[in-house]
Amino acid sequence: MGFPQAVENLVHFSDLLLEKNKVMNLTAVTEPMEVVTRHFLDCAAAGAMLGLEGRTLVDVGCGAGFPGMPLRCPSGRRRAWRAA
């Protein structure tokens, strides 16, 4: 997956998150740039530190989709499971 597609996926996830957050308390974050700085960058840092490339990711109890969705979106990783 190329960089433009990764950005598109993350923007789409952010849009869905902020829209759903209007009716459900998923996160205290309400602005798109805050999603990037307070959620996406945290998830990216954790993913880089854990060395997840080529591994299956299981995100247990992820609530609003963190860290699983932001880790999956840029990579196009198909083997990412969300267990709530």
Side-chain angles (χ1 to χ4, degrees):
M1 169 182 306
F3 183 74
Q5 182 64 48
V7 171
E8 184 178 322
N9 288 348
L10 288 169
V11 168
H12 182 66
F13 175 68
S14 177
D15 290 345
L16 291 173
L17 173 72
L18 292 174
E19 185 63 32
K20 196 63 169 175
N21 199 48
K22 292 177 183 176
V23 294
M24 297 176 73
N25 187 24
L26 298 173
T27 177
V29 172
T30 59
E31 298 297 323
M33 187 52 76
E34 281 187 295
V35 173
V36 172
T37 59
R38 295 184 67 191
H39 290 309
F40 290 171
L41 292 178
D42 285 350
C43 295
M49 190 172 74
L50 294 172
L52 299 174
E53 190 62 39
R55 295 184 178 184
T56 299
L57 171 67
V58 178
D59 188 347
V60 180
C62 56
F66 299 105
M69 292 302 291
L71 290 175
R72 183 177 185 268
C73 286
S75 70
R77 180 182 287 126
R78 290 196 172 107
R79 294 176 56 173
W81 304 97
R82 182 177 167 232

